[in-house]
Amino acid sequence: MECRKLTDGFLMNNGEKIPCIGYGTYKTTEEEVYGAVLSALKAGYRHIDTAAFYGNEAGIGRALKDCGIPREELFVTSKVWNTDRGYENTKEAFAATLERLDLDYLDLYLIHWPANRKQFGEEAKKINAETWRALEELYTEGKIKAIGLSNFLPHHIEELMETAVVKPMVDQIEFHPGWAQLEAGEYCRKNDIVVEAWSPLGRKEVLDSGILQEIGAKYGKSAAQVCVRWVLQHDILPLPKTVNSGRMVENADVFDFALTEEEMKTIDSLKDLGGQCALPDEVDF
Ligand code: A2P
């Protein structure tokens, strides 16, 4: 889809829109997140991405309360953490998240990581199905406007769909130059699932790439802006994180240039630039 400003939206399969660049808050502490979110909102972001695991939901809630922007103009995402999987636990975790954020509803709630076979053997499938069942129920009750996944690869989604009643609207995966999960992106596109990119700047390590800097220089843009633009041109929704208000503006200033097809391919083929490069079937947390 064509995005021309921060608040233009990707259309989800439930008919709702999600603002095309989100503000990431991983590793932003409870102390700094209040001011950071207020600055991000001032810079024009309306989509805030957090998770129970980040430990900063209460500070975000306070910022959302104090910002003066009507609730319906804000888009707030959180995620159920791995220790809270399963039907009952997920419901409790969701209630706690909502309370910390001091909100009546969430715009999007995700399963943070799939339970994998390495940790749970054959139980993994059932655990994911039960976690999803809780999200489906909360969605049907109207407590969440959209539900989705994070770090699910196509085979995890296929397995989940064997028992799912509601199709996920979003899958949030690691996606940055050097870790372009194009197959997962293509699978989601075909299945009408919006893909979000966590760590679109590869935890800033990829910004040292001379190729990204060179491409950016051609347009008067930084390597970070090239990363965000590259993600968007893949029809993927970037969630850049920064606590610096100048860099918040910089990361959103990506609508006045376009990468050529050749530049897109060059960036697609980059390898080993850093970032977490997480393998969801191998993680043991
Ligand atoms: P800071 O918060 O001090 O700006 P990612 O979103 O890929 O996880 O990357 C986040 C990291 O990149 C953080 O360390 C953040 O640091 C840094 N960062 C974010 N935006 C920029 C930018 N425009 N230029 C340089 N570093 C950035």
Side-chain angles (χ1 to χ4, degrees):
M1 77 138 304
E2 187 62 32
C3 295
R4 292 195 179 82
K5 58 182 188 311
L6 262 181
T7 47
D8 282 347
F10 281 50
L11 189 64
M12 295 183 282
N13 66 37
N14 63 348
E16 300 275 342
K17 281 194 168 172
I18 177 168
C20 67
I21 299 182
Y23 176 67
T25 64
Y26 183 43
K27 299 214 164 158
T28 306
T29 63
E30 183 73 285
E31 290 70 45
E32 59 188 350
V33 81
Y34 175 82
V37 168
L38 284 178
S39 298
L41 293 169
K42 203 166 157 209
Y45 293 82
R46 291 294 179 270
H47 171 176
I48 310 294
D49 183 89
T50 184
F53 181 70
Y54 302 172
N56 57 19
E57 290 173 317
I60 291 176
R62 283 200 306 279
L64 297 177
K65 196 116 284 169
D66 292 350
C67 69
I69 298 166
R71 173 67 183 95
E72 61 275 14
E73 288 176 28
L74 301 167
F75 191 101
V76 185
T77 302
S78 193
K79 316 181 189 84
V80 55
W81 184 239
N82 301 351
T83 47
D84 289 319
R85 291 179 179 122
Y87 178 78
E88 291 296 340
N89 288 348
T90 296
K91 286 221 153 171
E92 279 171 32
F94 173 74
T97 275
L98 211 56
E99 196 175 320
R100 282 191 295 269
L101 284 164
D102 199 12
L103 295 174
D104 300 328
Y105 69 91
L106 272 191
D107 297 277
L108 177 64
Y109 196 48
L110 308 176
I111 302 181
H112 207 144
W113 290 87
N116 64 22
R117 282 188 164 57
K118 182 178 171 186
Q119 288 184 79
F120 298 99
E122 289 311 306
E123 275 293 290
K125 176 177 174 179
K126 192 169 156 214
I127 295 169
N128 291 326
E130 286 294 284
T131 308
W132 186 248
R133 189 163 69 85
L135 264 63
E136 288 178 329
E137 216 170 276
L138 292 161
Y139 171 68
T140 309
E141 288 166 2
K143 292 180 179 144
I144 315 171
K145 304 271 186 204
I147 52 176
L149 310 166
S150 180
N151 298 301
F152 276 58
L153 299 174
H155 65 278
H156 301 117
I157 302 176
E158 290 279 310
E159 192 173 87
L160 191 78
M161 289 314 295
E162 289 174 25
T163 52
V165 178
V166 178
K167 185 163 141 175
M169 286 124 216
V170 166
D171 189 17
Q172 183 179 128
I173 58 175
E174 183 175 2
F175 193 95
H176 51 76
W179 198 251
Q181 301 200 73
L182 295 172
E183 261 177 49
E186 196 48 39
Y187 172 88
C188 287
R189 191 187 342 275
K190 276 197 189 127
N191 286 283
D192 202 10
I193 298 170
V194 169
V195 181
E196 297 182 327
W198 64 260
S199 256
L201 316 176
R203 300 257 192 279
K204 92 171 168 203
E205 291 159 7
V206 313
L207 306 182
D208 293 334
S209 154
I211 294 174
L212 294 179
Q213 291 170 359
E214 238 172 71
I215 292 174
K218 196 176 136 188
Y219 301 102
K221 296 287 175 183
S222 66
Q225 290 168 318
V226 170
C227 289
V228 173
R229 182 74 209 180
W230 170 77
V231 172
L232 277 174
Q233 284 186 223
H234 272 303
D235 274 332
I236 292 178
L237 193 158
L239 302 167
K241 176 264 162 182
T242 177
V243 292
N244 175 287
S245 50
R247 291 195 282 275
M248 289 172 197
V249 173
E250 177 186 333
N251 296 344
D253 181 15
V254 295
F255 299 108
D256 58 354
F257 77 112
L259 300 166
T260 64
E261 223 167 280
E262 200 184 329
E263 287 161 348
M264 289 295 289
K265 287 206 175 103
T266 300
I267 302 172
D268 289 352
S269 66
L270 295 175
K271 298 262 177 299
D272 301 326
L273 297 182
Q276 195 170 325
C277 305
L279 297 170
D281 285 317
E282 295 300 325
V283 300
D284 48 16
F285 49 81

